Structure formats: structure tokens, C-alpha cells
Amino acid sequence: MMRLDIRWWPWGVLTLLSLVLVMFFVFYPLGVLFANSVRGEGGEWSLASFAQLASDEDYRAAFRNSLVLGATVTALSIGVGVPFAYMVARYDFPLKNLVAILPILTIVIPEIIVGQSWLLVFGNNGLVTNAFAALGIELPSFYGWTGMIFSMTLVYYTYIYLGVLAALRGFDGQLEEAGLSLGTPPLTTRLRVLVPVVLPAVLVNALVVFTLVVGNFAISMLLGSRVPLLSVMTYNTFVSEMGGSPMLQSAMSMISIAIVAVVLFLQKRVIERKMYTMTQGRAPAAERVGSWQAMAFTGAVGIVVVLSMLPLLVVFLAAFTETSGPVMKWGQWSIGSLARVLGNSPEPIWNSLKFASMATVIGVIFAVLSSYLIIKKKNLLTQWLDYLLVLPLTISGTVLGIALIQSFNAGWIVLAGTSAIMVLCYTVRRLPFAVRNASSTLFNIPDSIEEASISLGVSPLMTLFKVVLPAMRASIASAAILMWLTTVSELSASIVVYTGGLETMPIAIFRQVDGGRLGLASAYGAALVTVILLPIVVAVKVFRIQLFSSR
Amino acid sequence: MKLLKFVMAAAMAGSVGVGTTQAQTVVLYSSNNTETIETALNIIKKQKPGLNVQQVTGGTGALMKRIQAEAQNPRGDVMWSGGFGTLGAYRDQFQAYNPADAASTPAPFRGPNNLWIGTNVHVMVMMVNEKQLKGLPSPKSWSDLMDAKWKGKFAITDPSKSATAYSLVYGLYKQFGRDGLAKIAQNAVITSSSGTTYKGVASGEYAVGLTLEYAAQEFVAGGQKEIKLVYPSEGSYLAPEGMVIIKGAKNLDGAKALYDGLLSKEVQEALLVKNFRRPTRTDIDVAKLSGLPALNTLKIFDVNQEAASAEYEQVVALWNSLAKGK
């Protein structure tokens, strides 16, 4: 009797509650989306929308382009990320520490800012373009494939870099020594021993990069106006003044989800087949390199780092540049744009802070609770909770936005047009990351501590608060910060659900870029970057939280 | 946990910091860009110090749908601005008002039964980037662009994505018929927003863009010397935009005060000088104040806005079929 009580109260009830919430806010919208994609106007079942898409020349082109773009950027990211990680893991060279940390910041810089600042540099009226034009040299247009491939590679190589770096650091150096002592030549040894270790990390992260590129909205929208792409097309169907048919939007969304689902399936197969378990060995010490090699390494890695950091610099320069309407007066400084943004229309800044902090609080509480249930109170229900919590990862922001707006626009629960939909959007989109983050330390907390507390007569719920939560403190803080960073820069889902008065900083940037006001966009960009970097600096410097541990 | 508390405190501060209420609060729904709204409200603040204007911004279509959805309990008082065709489609949602100053705006720019009044009028022009012409002569007329040598050299916005682009396509259709429109659709690069068209010309992506006068003029005024505005010899098309008081406005007096303010000569002059919005009032010397030609010196091809609105679906469908066929 007693045991059953403990099972249902409090954990069983909390599990059910979490499940109901996730079902309602994640699973149900996707269900609505699916239903809408196969139901005609009269409510009859039909695959007409899919047939229409299949016969649409433009859509087929967009489908092809998205896959090609995904494959190209993924390949290039591997080309940049793997050597980069290898150099950082195995060699010592000047400025290595700086160079090793900086790329992680690129994950933090909002994509909209990356896209916008590359336009400021290489756009048809950009700094570099104009400088070359003055010399009589005409650079090829940055819009389209060139720009997208270039800037996306500089954002996404980081994922490959981090994954491979972790794999290389967990690598047991003795394996290599064993190979060498058996008489195999050094290069062959390295290839034979390292490739199997690094390959799974490369493949898994490559698939992540691929899905991110296919779902990418901000950079595609800013740079790809002449190349039809799935994400942009889905968004355009949604905002079309004709009102776009919900059936078509939903069908497009389902196809995007299907692409990611296939990729996730592949990823699971790859991990299961290729994963090697390695006894925790000592990674080989980094090798000091000679002077010319050191310069080459610092140079190669430095160029990549400088290029991926450049957007930050450009945004701040542009924020302080004099403008006249849409025309940037480079070289003339002014605080006009910032004054306009801060003085006359600071609402997007307040909105961003408000929505992101609410989403962070809700998301972290939910993530801590559900990861605790999933890891420490395993049963069939928590297993389902675990599966459902991964769902948002399969949906691109645009699709999530469409699903939420279709589900909560009418009926008995109307969230459209209120702050609630923005917070919901942020929370759902970033929840999987927060859960993963909160879980990381939970694995390391032995069950025995809890059992000890309970056997001393402390109720299970109080034990959670008094014993488990304090032990999780660091990962809660880092989950909170990562949740904050990623929500405050969220664009692709919120731009679908927002209405007047709910504008956030990324949306303001997007709209100002769209209206041709790069100066104002940069001023919002500078504010956004500040809001993003401040908590990181505080966390790392004041609270000494290891945010970017690369393991 | 300290961090969490801090975040929570910040969240609460954020939600408290929003609503400030005063006796004379009036809610303005506006589809104009922030700079334009700023110009107008800065003057209105001086004209009517007691008036506290709260703004909600968004696209014309979205705001109209919102007004319709809120009809039982209107949350906005004034909507500024929408094309006459769009306003016509939502006429049941508006409150008639005859401002004292109405006579300053000529009858064609006033709505039926005083439901709305024009605040500005867009002129459709050809925006030319002379650097990108590359030997081609600058176009003089719409029909110049129907020639095959212009294929892929000029941009037009998809009329289903933008109300002003629709006015343009409708004008071309009325003036040159299906065949003329077909040639334009064949030759043009079709963009998905008005912004893409004029920014693309300014940045050199297209040599010519069929776009809004004010948007092109911003680049000229900003000092981009290669940008020129061409008013087609066959006649430009006008797309007037107007404002309305929302039916059931909570603060009708405040709404009227704001309406009068937006219509005032002072505001319309400032909008012309700073934002190149061509006024509908006849007592403003456009040429002297802005460098844009006066309306009565331009050749205009008349377009019936009501008819344009009525034929929307049909003309957009025609355009789509013509654009697809290439």
C-alpha cells in the first residue's frame, strides 16, 4: 500500500501533469497541423495539397535547393570544423586559448545579426563591395548561393568543431602509442585510430547542421531572395496578404518535419552502429609546434575566428554610423540611430526582456522537473515524456509558429495576439535544450543521497528541494542562461505568431532590415547583443559557471 | 538560485513597466514605418499636449483583420493608414467623421460618407539605378519595359504580397490590357516585397524597379547620386492612402483630436519633408518643400480604386498565370 502511495504521489501526479502539458502544447499543435494538411475545406480527407505541392515547379525547386544548400553547408562546415578541432586538440600555438573559446560565441550571436552584418560588408552596397567598386573591380553578387553558403558555414562549423573536439579529448592516447609500437607508420596509425573515433562525432553533428540549415530562416530570408528555399517559401505562404490556404501551409510544414524526421532516424542508426565506448583514457598531450607551423596554425584558425566574430564588430560600427533614411554614411559617426531606438521605440527591447525571462523561468522549472522525473523516477509514462520532449527539435521555428497559431487562434483557448503565445513559442522551441542541460548533472547525483534523506524521514518532495536541487545548482544556472540566450534571439517562430505590440528585438531587426533601415536595425542589434552578452559575462565572471565546457 | 531570483525580478519589472494610463489616451493602429509615425506624433505632441497616443504597428492587412476581430470590443481608436481599396473592403468597421478641415483635401481623396480621408498619395514610378543600366537607355515609359531587351533587368513586386504593388499591376492591366501585362510579367524579376524591389535597385541588384515614389526618393535624398526617378510618359498610377476612426472607439474625442492632428497642414508638411509622403492636401507646395514634382504637373492615368478592390482575386490570378508561363 505504502509503496503505491509513493509512486503516485507526488511523482506519478507530477509526471501526468507534465505529460498533459506537453501533449497539449507540443503534441496537439502538431496534430492540428497534420489534420489541417490532409483535410479539405469541407472537412473531407484529401491529399490534394500534397499533390498540388508535388506538381508545383517552384516548390520542387525550393525542395531541391534546400537539400543542396544543406548538403553544401554541411560539407564545408566539416571541412572547416574538423581540422580546426584537430589543431586545437593536438597542438599548442600562440593565442590558442583565445582561438579555442571564441567560436563558441558564434552560436550565441543571433543569425539575423550574422546575415545583416554580412550584408553590410558584402551586400551590393556594402563596405567591401563599395571599396572594390571604387577601384573599378566588380565583386560578384553576394545575394543567393554565395552569401548563404559563406555565412551559414561560418555559423554552423562551430557545431562540428565542438563535437569533434570533445571526441578528440576523450580519446585514449595509448591506442595511438600501441599502433606506433606495433610498427605502423605514424600517419597510417593516426588515420586508422582516429577516424573511427572522430567519425561518429562528425556524422552526428553533420546531421544536426544539415537540419539547422534546412530549417534556417533568418539568413535564408535576408540573403536568399533569388533562390527559392523551403523555409522562406513556407513563411511567405503564411504571411501572404491573400491569406494563404491553411491546408497548403500545413502540408509544407509536414514536409519540413518529414525531412528532419528522416535525418533523426539516420542519426539514431549511425549512433547505434558506430558508437565506440572508450575507457576513459588520457588524451595525448598537446604538441608544441615549431615557429613556421605555429604561425600557419594561428593564421588559419585566426582567419576563421575573425570571420566568425566580424558580425559583432560590424553591428556595433553600424549602430554608431550616421544615416540618412536608408543610406548609410560610413565614416561619419553619430548616436542618432541608438537615440532613436532607445528614446522613441524601446518597446521591442522591453518585450524581448519580458518574454525571454518568462520563458526562461517557466522553461527551467519545467526542464528541472521533467528531467528529474525522466532520470530518477523512470517508468512508462516518463519514457513517453522523454520522447515527447524531443519533438520540438524536429520542427523548424517557422513550422512551430504556424502550428501554434493554427491551434490557439480560435476555439476555447485563444492565445494569438497575447504575450502568452510569444512566451509559449519561446518555451516550447527551446525546452529540449534546457532539459538536456538540466539532465547533465542529474546522472551524476547518486540515488543513495536521496534515499538517505528519505529514510531519515524527509518527504520525497522536500528531498527534491533540499537535497537534489542544491546539487543541481550549477546546471540549473547554465540551463537558465542558455535558455535566456536562445530565447532572446529567437526569430523564426516568433515572427510567425507576433502581432502589433508584441514586437521583439529580433523581429524589430528583421523589419528594419526589410524596410531598408540598416542603421536602426544595427542599433537594435547592438542592444540585443548587449542583452545576450551581459548574462554570460556575469555568469562566467561573477558566478564562475562553466558555460562552455566543451566536454 | 540567486540568478533565478534575479531573472524573476526582471520578469516582473518588465511586466509592470508597460501600461501607463491617462485621461486622454488614444490608441493608434498604424501600418506606417516607425520613422513616419515618429514625425507625425512629435508634432501632435506639441499641438495637443494632453493627448497620450499609444501605437500598435503592423501590416495594413493584419491590422484590418484585427479591427474586424475586435469589433465587439474595439481596442484601437484610429487606424492610419490603408489603401482606399482595402478601406473599402472593411467599411463596416469605421465611424464616419467630417473634420472641420475636410475641404482642404479634394473630393477624390475623400472616402464615401466621410468614412475616411486621404492622408497621403503614393505615385508609382520607375526607380532607375544609372550605374546598372550598362549601356541601356533609361526607360521613359511603361511600354519601354515591354521590349525583350529589358528581360531580367527590372523588378516588380508580386501583387499578391503587397497592396501597393497590386495598384501598380492593376494600373498596367487597365492601361495596356492583358497583352501588355503579359509582356511586363515575362520580362520582370518578381520580388516578394516592396522593400526588396526598391532596396534591390538602390543596391544595384536591378537596374530599374517599379515602385513607390517616396521609397525611391529616400535614396535620392540620402545622397545616392545614381538613383533617378522616372515618371512614365504614359502616366503614373496613384495609390491614395487614408485614415479612419474605428467604429465603437473607446475614446471618440481623443480619436477625433488625433485624426485632426494627422490631417493638419503642419503634420502633412513634415511628413513630406522628412519622409517624402506626398500629401493629399492642396495647400502644400510639394515642389518647393521636397524636390518632388507637384501632382498637377504629373501625367496621371486614372484608376478606380473601388473597381481595383473588386477585381482583386481575378487580376492577381491573371498575373500569377502570366508570371508562371515564362
Side-chain angles (χ1 to χ4, degrees), chain B:
Chain B
M1 287 310 277
K2 262 183 199 157
L3 202 93
L4 216 67
K5 272 186 197 153
F6 169 76
V7 171
M8 284 166 105
M12 287 166 77
S15 52
V16 172
V18 187
T20 44
T21 37
Q22 255 180 36
Q24 269 292 51
T25 293
V26 54
V27 180
L28 170 66
Y29 283 6
S30 183
S31 53
N32 289 295
N33 66 30
T34 45
E35 286 165 330
T36 306
I37 299 173
E38 201 181 295
T39 307
L41 293 189
N42 281 346
I43 293 172
I44 290 174
K45 210 179 277 171
K46 281 182 216 134
Q47 283 178 346
K48 306 171 199 297
L51 202 64
N52 172 25
V53 183
Q54 286 190 354
Q55 31 164 316
V56 172
T57 54
T60 305
L63 288 171
M64 285 300 174
K65 279 182 196 151
R66 183 165 172 168
I67 290 170
Q68 196 170 34
E70 291 171 352
Q72 299 304 316
N73 179 24
R75 290 199 229 137
D77 297 306
V78 173
M79 161 74 195
W80 171 57
S81 54
F84 281 17
T86 311
L87 295 178
Y90 288 88
R91 68 175 71 204
D92 298 345
Q93 310 295 331
F94 310 144
Q95 162 84 48
Y97 172 54
N98 189 17
D101 209 10
S104 61
T105 302
F109 293 140
R110 295 205 298 259
N113 312 322
N114 297 322
L115 280 176
W116 64 81
I117 194 157
T119 46
N120 65 290
V121 54
H122 291 306
V123 180
M124 294 298 161
V125 299
M126 300 197 278
M127 175 180 177
V128 178
N129 186 330
E130 292 186 329
K131 264 194 203 162
Q132 302 297 327
L133 284 172
K134 311 251 162 84
L136 280 169
S138 184
K140 296 278 177 290
S141 63
W142 301 119
S143 34
D144 280 353
L145 298 177
M146 295 173 195
D147 192 300
K149 71 181 173 202
W150 282 96
K151 190 166 176 63
K153 300 274 181 4
F154 71 97
I156 188 170
T157 309
D158 184 343
S160 72
K161 301 276 161 59
S162 147
T164 44
Y166 174 70
S167 323
L168 171 66
V169 165
Y170 185 78
L172 290 169
Y173 174 55
K174 286 290 139 180
Q175 193 170 13
F176 301 103
R178 189 196 152 97
D179 290 346
L181 192 63
K183 283 180 197 152
I184 294 278
Q186 295 287 313
N187 283 349
V189 176
I190 298 162
T191 68
S192 60
S193 76
S194 305
T196 315
T197 303
Y198 56 75
K199 282 185 295 176
V201 176
S203 64
E205 204 173 351
Y206 318 112
V208 176
L210 310 188
T211 190
L212 301 155
E213 177 189 41
Y214 90 88
Q217 181 65 21
E218 282 182 338
F219 292 94
V220 175
Q224 244 186 287
K225 295 190 184 60
E226 68 274 24
I227 303 297
K228 293 283 183 310
L229 273 64
V230 174
Y231 297 85
S233 58
E234 295 127 334
S236 300
Y237 313 122
L238 297 184
E241 289 189 326
M243 65 177 156
V244 298
I245 293 183
I246 296 162
K247 192 187 254 177
K250 293 271 156 54
N251 183 355
L252 191 56
D253 291 339
K256 286 177 179 170
L258 178 59
Y259 197 93
D260 292 345
L262 287 171
L263 190 62
S264 69
K265 189 176 177 190
E266 210 183 344
V267 167
Q268 292 219 7
E269 272 185 4
L271 288 173
L272 170 66
V273 173
K274 290 195 180 157
N275 309 91
F276 313 105
R277 299 297 165 121
R278 187 181 278 279
T280 46
R281 293 179 71 107
T282 45
D283 55 357
I284 294 174
D285 189 341
V286 172
K288 198 173 135 202
L289 287 173
S290 68
L292 292 172
L295 198 55
N296 55 21
T297 65
L298 294 177
K299 183 161 185 202
I300 301 296
F301 178 85
D302 266 327
V303 170
N304 180 343
Q305 302 293 333
E306 291 270 318
S309 178
E311 292 171 50
Y312 180 82
E313 302 262 332
Q314 182 192 332
V315 175
V316 166
L318 171 66
W319 171 266
N320 284 342
S321 69
L322 295 175
K324 273 262 150 80
K326 58 177 171 177

Side-chain angles (χ1 to χ4, degrees), chain A residues 9 137 155 166 190 284 306 336 398 408-409 416 426:
Chain A
W9 176 258
I137 303 169
V155 173
R190 281 201 181 165
V306 166
T398 316
F408 301 113
N409 199 19
Y426 278 5

